[in-house]
Amino acid sequence: MGDEGNLDEVLRANGVARQVIGHIGDKWSLLVIAALGDEAQRFSRLKTRVEGINQRMLTQTLRALERDGIVERNVYPTSPPKVEYVLTGIGRELFVTVTGICEWARRNLAEVETSQRLFDQRAVMPL
């Protein structure tokens, strides 16, 4: 069956693997994982690093990543309480893949932009 058999769980509509891919595959999750990297960070630092994300979306993203075991939320008993977020073991493993995706996007940005421009030009031309 080869690699195709390994994809069955991901391709199955109600599969857990597909749900996880849905969580980690959205732009905010990828950006938050990239921003966390190898260091624990506070919410405000993440919000600053991930430009354009609002407080509500960052909260939702962190909760989903925490639920999936990708991010760990650490609360320290200080006044006021100090809260930090850090990637777990599987989160650090995923970080390697996310970094690769980010690097691919950076390397291929010009080619993608050219392709988009050419596609858009063809789309407005009459048939």
Side-chain angles (χ1 to χ4, degrees):
M1 208 178 242
D3 289 336
E4 289 179 17
N6 296 333
L7 293 176
D8 286 348
E9 174 61 22
V10 174
L11 299 173
R12 195 170 300 121
N14 295 320
V16 174
R18 188 164 172 177
Q19 292 172 13
V20 171
I21 290 198
H23 294 161
I24 63 172
D26 73 80
K27 78 173 176 182
W28 295 123
S29 292
L30 290 174
L31 295 173
V32 167
I33 292 165
L36 274 170
D38 290 332
E39 59 183 322
Q41 294 185 48
R42 297 185 73 164
F43 186 92
S44 59
R45 174 74 173 131
L46 284 170
K47 189 169 179 311
T48 300
R49 291 197 70 202
V50 181
E51 291 184 17
I53 195 167
N54 63 39
Q55 184 168 334
R56 180 175 170 268
M57 185 55 65
L58 180 55
T59 299
Q60 288 177 346
T61 301
L62 287 167
R63 283 186 183 156
L65 292 171
E66 183 181 8
R67 183 173 184 260
D68 289 340
I70 295 165
V71 168
E72 183 178 301
R73 181 178 184 262
N74 297 314
V75 181
Y76 299 95
T78 59
S79 183
K82 178 181 175 183
V83 179
E84 290 183 332
Y85 297 89
V86 64
L87 293 175
T88 63
I90 64 171
R92 287 189 304 276
E93 182 182 345
L94 180 58
F95 174 72
V96 173
T97 302
V98 169
T99 302
I101 292 169
C102 292
E103 181 59 25
W104 176 91
R106 189 195 61 73
R107 272 193 328 267
N108 293 288
L109 185 59
E111 188 172 338
V112 169
E113 288 175 329
T114 299
S115 180
Q116 290 173 343
R117 188 179 70 256
L118 293 172
F119 179 90
D120 293 345
Q121 288 172 352
R122 286 193 313 266
V124 297
M125 287 183 186
L127 295 178

